[in-house]
Structure formats: C-alpha cells, structure tokens
C-alpha cells in the first residue's frame, strides 16, 4: 500500500487540530479475545475474519470530508484559453473512485507507467478531443505532486490536452507548499487537486491555523468554499470528479459477508469488541478512532498501531477487524 497521501488525509490543514499521539499495538485495551459479548455496548463481539479482499464500508454519516479529485487551474490561463477547462472537465466527468482504484492498481501493483495507464484509460473512455486543433500553438505545463496517483492524474490531463493539439509539459514539483505558488504565478498551468484538502489549506493560509473548517462531507458545499477561496488566490477550478481519495475504513469481504454489513452504521449496530488498525496518531485524530466512536458510536475495544502501509495486511491477516485505508488505494481493486 502506498503512503502517498497520509500527510494530506490525516493532517489536512485547519481540520485535524490535535497533535499526533503515539499508539501501540493493543493500546486501546479491552477484549482479551474470549469474546462472547461487548460489555460496553451490549453487542456480540465480532472477531476479525481473515481474507484476501478488503471492502470499504460506506461512510453513511459523513465523517470524512469530500476530497474529490478536481483540476486546479491558474485563473489567468483559464481566462485566456476558454478551451482549457472544458477539456479537463472531460476527465472529471469520466472518473469515479472505482476507476481511480483501477488506475492506481495499474501503476502501483501491476507496475505500468503512469503514461501507459493514462493512455489505456483515455482510449477505453473515449476521451480524445473532438477537435484535434483546439490547442494548436498553445503551451501548457501540468504540475504533479510527488506521489504516484498525482502523476497518473497529471498524465490523464496531459494526454487529453495533447489530443486537442496542445504542447504539454508535465513536471513533478513536490508538495503543495512548493507547487501552489507556481500555479498561482502561472509557472504551471494545471495541477490535479483534492477539494477538501486544498480548501482547508487555503482557508488556514487566509484565516490562520485556528480557522473554522470550510470543508465538509458535502461535495457541493466544499467546492463552493474552495472556489471562493481560490478567487483571491488567482485560482479557478474545473468540475469535481466523483473520484475521492480520502480516509476510509475497510474490513475483509469475508467479514462483511458473514455479518451482512456494508456501512459504518451497520457495523456499529451489529458488532462490538472491534479491533481497529491504524497509524500511531489515529487515537487522537478526529477523522480516525474518535470519529468512529463519536459519530458512529462504534465499540472499539482495542487499537493496534501500524505503519500506514501495513494496515491493510493486518486486516487481511485477521489481526484486526477494521483498518484505516485510503479510498482510492489500488489494493482495493477486486
């Protein structure tokens, strides 16, 4: 599993306010594994069930913010070139989380290059531009953050624009603190972004670290807040895709089938004595263990701390009932 966005998802500026606190395997205490019932919840203890396939449980109460993939564009470039954003929007309109998972699997697990995975996707989705001359004589620089999903998304944008006749350069620039000033200045033209994370990044830059969050689980509201903040930052945005890369919680498919659960609410209502696997800071993060207990009333009796890349394996091996994952991780592909 990749660790590409743990700093973006677990430490989104202005949203996750508590400092990280180290956990340790079993730091949540609780059930000793004998397990007939959960004393705190009065629910039957559901032991972990090992299995090869993970399934994300639906966040039906909106614990996580709407981190939809969205093209962020230099505002002046978008004004000067009315063909640019509609071409980027064609990527957004085609993309959902399951397709993003498949793209990440192609690159991170099947070891295709980002360019090859993007080319196959564009062909399968029929995303080649209808007018191959719309961008003739126009140069575009697309920035990518330094993790593979961002590189793949940048290649999607680049290849669609090239099919319209643009001359496109893709640059891997690093983290948001590095590439955002370049996007604002026009040194780069477009960057694939994440709605909630960027909204909170801009929010704290404008209003300070203690600013009230503007992102939520509602995509429309989050993008509206992002758009307003972008206006003063020299940014505009294309359409948000249905694809989201955000914190999510997964169980094995075998566990979900055995207990007939598909949502976090159903898990909380069905099972007690849950063992949660997560990164060391999870017990202090409002989008991690506290969110599960406060928002869902989930009965977590044991927390196990793992490096992010090992959480999924802990759940697959039956060491934990449920684990924190990224919703677009390629290993979630069925």
């Amino acid at each position: 599993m990749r660790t590409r966005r743990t700093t973006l998802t677990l430490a989104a500026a202005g949203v996750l306010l508590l400092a990280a606190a180290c956990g340790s395997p079993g730091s949540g205490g609780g059930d000793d594994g004998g397990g007939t019932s959960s004393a705190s919840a009065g629910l039957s203890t559901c032991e972990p069930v090992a299995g090869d396939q993970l399934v994300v449980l639906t966040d039906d109460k909106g614990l996580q913010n709407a981190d939809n993939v969205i093209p962020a564009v230099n505002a002046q470039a978008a004004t000067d070139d009315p063909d640019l954003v509609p071409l980027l929007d064609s990527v957004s309109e085609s993309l959902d989380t399951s397709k993003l998972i498949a793209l990440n699997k192609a690159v991170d697990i099947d070891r295709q290059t980002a360019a090859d995975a993007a080319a196959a996707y564009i062909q399968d989705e029929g995303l080649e531009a209808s007018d191959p001359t719309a961008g003739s004589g126009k140069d575009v620089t697309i920035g990518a953050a330094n993790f593979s999903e961002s590189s793949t998304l940048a290649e999607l944008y680049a290849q669609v624009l090239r099919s319209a006749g643009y001359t496109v350069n893709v640059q891997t620039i690093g983290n948001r603190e590095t590439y955002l000033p370049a996007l604002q200045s026009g040194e780069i033209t477009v960057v694939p972004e994440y709605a909630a994370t960027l909204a909170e990044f801009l929010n704290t830059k404008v209003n300070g670290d203690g600013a009230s969050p503007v992102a939520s689980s509602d995509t429309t509201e989050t993008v509206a807040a992002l758009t307003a903040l972008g206006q003063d930052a020299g940014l505009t945005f294309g359409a948000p895709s249905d694809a989201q890369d955000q914190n999510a919680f997964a169980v094995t498919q075998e566990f979900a089938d055995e207990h007939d659960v598909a949502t976090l609410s159903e898990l909380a209502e069905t099972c007690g004595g849950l063992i949660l696997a997560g990164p060391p800071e999870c017990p202090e993060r409002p989008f991690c263990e506290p969110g599960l207990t406060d928002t869902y009333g989930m009965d977590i009796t044991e927390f196990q701390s793992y490096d992010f890349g090992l959480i999924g394996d802990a759940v697959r091996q039956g060491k934990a009932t449920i684990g924190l994952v990224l919703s677009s991780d390629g290993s979630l592909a069925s």
Side-chain angles (χ1 to χ4, degrees):
M1 182 186 292
R2 297 151 291 160
T3 58
R4 65 195 187 282
R5 293 195 66 238
T6 55
T7 56
L8 302 180
T9 56
L10 288 175
V15 180
L16 304 182
L17 304 177
L18 298 176
C22 289
S24 59
S27 64
D31 188 77
D32 64 2
T36 57
S37 67
S38 166
S40 61
L43 297 170
S44 296
T45 294
C46 298
E47 301 292 349
V49 180
D52 293 332
Q53 181 62 47
L54 294 185
V55 58
V56 168
L57 298 181
T58 300
D59 178 18
D60 52 304
K61 291 187 177 179
L63 171 61
Q64 307 300 334
N65 284 339
D67 247 342
N68 299 65
V69 174
I70 189 170
V73 187
N74 175 272
Q76 189 60 55
T79 299
D80 293 343
D81 181 4
D83 293 314
L84 178 61
V85 172
L87 286 163
L88 300 172
D89 285 349
S90 70
V91 176
S92 293
E93 290 163 4
S94 75
L95 194 63
D96 60 21
T97 302
S98 63
K99 293 175 182 178
L100 185 56
I101 289 171
L103 281 165
N104 286 330
K105 177 180 182 294
V107 174
D108 295 327
I109 297 175
D110 300 337
R111 313 312 299 173
Q112 296 181 29
T113 66
D116 286 347
Y121 180 87
I122 289 168
Q123 182 174 11
D124 290 345
E125 296 291 322
L127 295 181
E128 296 87 354
S130 58
D131 181 358
T133 64
S136 295
K138 301 174 184 177
D139 295 332
V140 170
T141 299
I142 298 177
N146 55 353
F147 57 94
S148 62
E149 181 178 285
S150 185
S151 296
T152 303
L153 291 167
E155 280 293 338
L156 287 177
Y157 294 162
Q159 293 188 33
V160 167
L161 292 176
R162 288 182 185 126
S163 75
Y166 286 82
T167 300
V168 183
N169 178 38
V170 178
Q171 295 183 1
T172 299
I173 299 179
N175 60 22
R176 186 171 285 105
E177 288 80 2
T178 302
Y179 67 68
L180 195 63
L183 181 64
Q184 292 172 292
S185 70
E187 180 183 345
I188 57 178
T189 317
V190 182
V191 174
E193 262 291 0
Y194 302 88
T197 299
L198 182 56
E200 291 305 336
F201 184 89
L202 294 174
N203 183 32
T204 56
K205 285 186 71 71
V206 172
N207 299 310
D209 290 341
S212 297
V214 296
S216 71
S217 60
D218 186 294
T219 301
T220 300
E221 292 179 359
T222 299
V223 172
L226 174 62
T227 301
L229 288 162
Q231 288 176 349
D232 292 333
L235 304 176
T236 191
F237 303 93
S241 73
D242 288 336
Q244 294 185 328
D245 182 349
Q246 60 194 25
N247 289 341
F249 293 94
V251 298
T252 62
Q253 183 67 63
E254 290 82 355
F255 180 94
D257 292 342
E258 179 175 326
H259 297 287
D260 193 25
V261 294
T263 71
L264 290 173
S265 287
E266 289 173 348
L267 178 61
E269 293 164 0
T270 302
C271 291
L274 299 173
I275 302 171
L276 171 65
E281 63 269 25
C282 179
E284 302 297 330
R285 297 299 196 189
F287 289 170
C288 202
E289 184 176 1
L292 292 177
T293 56
D294 295 345
T295 301
Y296 286 97
M298 197 168 288
D299 180 50
I300 297 169
T301 55
E302 182 178 342
F303 171 71
Q304 297 183 353
S305 173
Y306 293 92
D307 290 340
F308 202 89
L310 300 177
I311 295 170
D313 286 340
V315 178
R316 291 184 184 93
Q317 293 166 10
K319 296 177 181 178
T321 322
I322 183 171
L324 178 71
V325 298
L326 296 176
S327 63
S328 64
D329 196 281
S331 69
L332 296 173
S334 55

